Amino acid sequence: MSEIDIPEDHPRYQSLLTRHRIEAGVENGITSKQGLIAEGRGEAFDYLLGEQTIDSAAAAERAAAAALLLANHPVISVNGNVAALVPAEVVALATAVDADIEINLFNRTDERMTAIAEHLRKHGATNVKGLTANARIPGLSHERAKVDADGIGTADVVVVPLEDGDRAEALASMGKTEIVIDLNPLSRSARAAAIPIVDNILRAIPAITDAAREFEGASKDELAAIVNEFDAEDALADAEAAIRSGDRS
Ligand code: PTJ
């Protein structure tokens, strides 16, 4: 039995576990109520993808790992849904690619920032950024623009999962290389990304970590070749075709 008393071989195990984590996130002041709606939307796309990682998403996850290993200052942005769903997995990825973790909220309140920081620390994070908020993303209104100067402010590569389209576009306009995880291939966030990953964050983050571990010892040229081989437009078109056709092969 698991954290939700559902056997792991239950056909809806993953979906039930996800819902449970999001619900607990709302109860613990981590996830916003809007996060429940975002989760429902994500689930619908995941259902249409067969709740599996399609080949183009697997390629995107490998490209993301290579880009993170090549980065000078990679940062993983965490919101209330990400913190509820994959706290330990985010810490494992940050360790594998030597990235900072920064809390960056659409609906920012001090209470939620503190609750999320505490939750991440419980799952092994040692240095959680986002609380200083001494820099701004240009072009966004006050609360949503806040970032840390020594975090997202100066990052060259940012992982932005389940992000609002406005902010994804504003970060891309700052010249950052964005790795977006979003099950909706038509979302503005996915379209703003250098590397869009159309996959459930539950599968995507561990897959990036696995690829990063596999690439340990690879040369910069080898890593750059993996990034360059990846084509964002092709990956988005492939995900959209998979969703529209229902072909899960
Ligand atoms: O915690 P906050 O205050 O920063 O708010 C976070 C949310 C997610 C509420 C906010 O960023 C938001 O409203 O996001 P959107 O505009 O609903 O976009 C979320 C996107 O994530 C949608 O395109 C969903 O399809 C997608 N999504 C939801 N769950 C998952 C997902 N993608 C991957 N894995 C998921 N589990």
Side-chain angles (χ1 to χ4, degrees):
M1 288 296 205
S2 71
E3 67 187 78
I4 48 171
D5 279 350
I6 301 234
E8 287 185 28
D9 60 357
H10 188 290
R12 305 292 313 151
Y13 173 75
Q14 189 93 88
S15 161
L16 293 168
L17 176 67
T18 307
R19 287 181 182 188
H20 170 77
R21 287 190 184 170
I22 288 284
E23 202 183 340
V26 173
E27 277 164 11
N28 297 330
I30 288 170
T31 309
S32 71
K33 285 186 189 162
Q34 285 186 22
L36 293 167
I37 299 166
E39 168 60 29
R41 188 145 59 143
E43 267 192 40
F45 285 111
D46 204 17
Y47 193 82
L48 292 169
L49 284 167
E51 294 173 333
Q52 62 182 344
T53 302
I54 58 174
D55 290 349
S56 53
E61 283 152 2
R62 293 172 71 78
L68 285 164
L69 289 170
L70 281 170
N72 289 321
H73 182 195
V75 176
I76 305 169
S77 177
V78 171
N79 67 17
N81 284 51
V82 176
L85 291 176
V86 283
E89 292 83 350
V90 163
V91 174
L93 174 58
T95 307
V97 300
D98 198 16
D100 282 336
I101 296 174
E102 177 159 344
I103 308 169
N104 196 232
L105 299 183
F106 182 78
N107 300 298
R108 184 184 175 111
T109 64
D110 287 345
E111 292 74 20
R112 284 187 66 218
M113 293 295 292
T114 309
I116 292 171
E118 196 51 35
H119 186 65
L120 291 170
R121 286 189 199 110
K122 262 192 224 155
H123 286 86
T126 47
N127 184 12
V128 179
K129 295 198 165 152
L131 299 141
T132 313
N134 52 349
R136 299 288 178 269
I137 305 172
L140 291 180
S141 59
H142 189 62
E143 288 302 308
R144 295 167 54 213
K146 288 182 173 174
V147 289
D148 279 12
D150 64 350
I152 289 176
T154 47
D156 54 348
V157 177
V158 194
V159 182
V160 277
L162 284 57
E163 184 58 272
D164 157 71
D166 254 19
R167 283 204 317 190
E169 284 176 350
L171 283 168
S173 303
M174 286 175 85
K176 302 193 187 294
T177 299
E178 273 191 292
I179 298 167
V180 165
I181 303 171
D182 192 324
L183 277 158
N184 178 3
L186 299 172
S187 78
R188 281 190 297 141
S189 311
R191 297 196 166 260
I195 304 179
I197 300 174
V198 183
D199 199 6
N200 196 316
I201 191 168
L202 282 119
R203 298 188 296 270
I205 297 272
I208 304 170
T209 307
D210 286 350
R213 289 181 181 144
E214 183 192 319
F215 297 157
E216 213 177 295
S219 69
K220 286 196 171 184
D221 285 350
E222 285 167 325
L223 294 172
I226 294 166
V227 175
N228 292 335
E229 251 170 49
F230 177 75
D231 187 304
E233 275 185 33
D234 284 356
L236 290 173
D238 183 72
E240 186 181 343
I243 288 168
R244 287 189 189 277
S245 71
D247 179 4
R248 296 167 179 191
S249 60

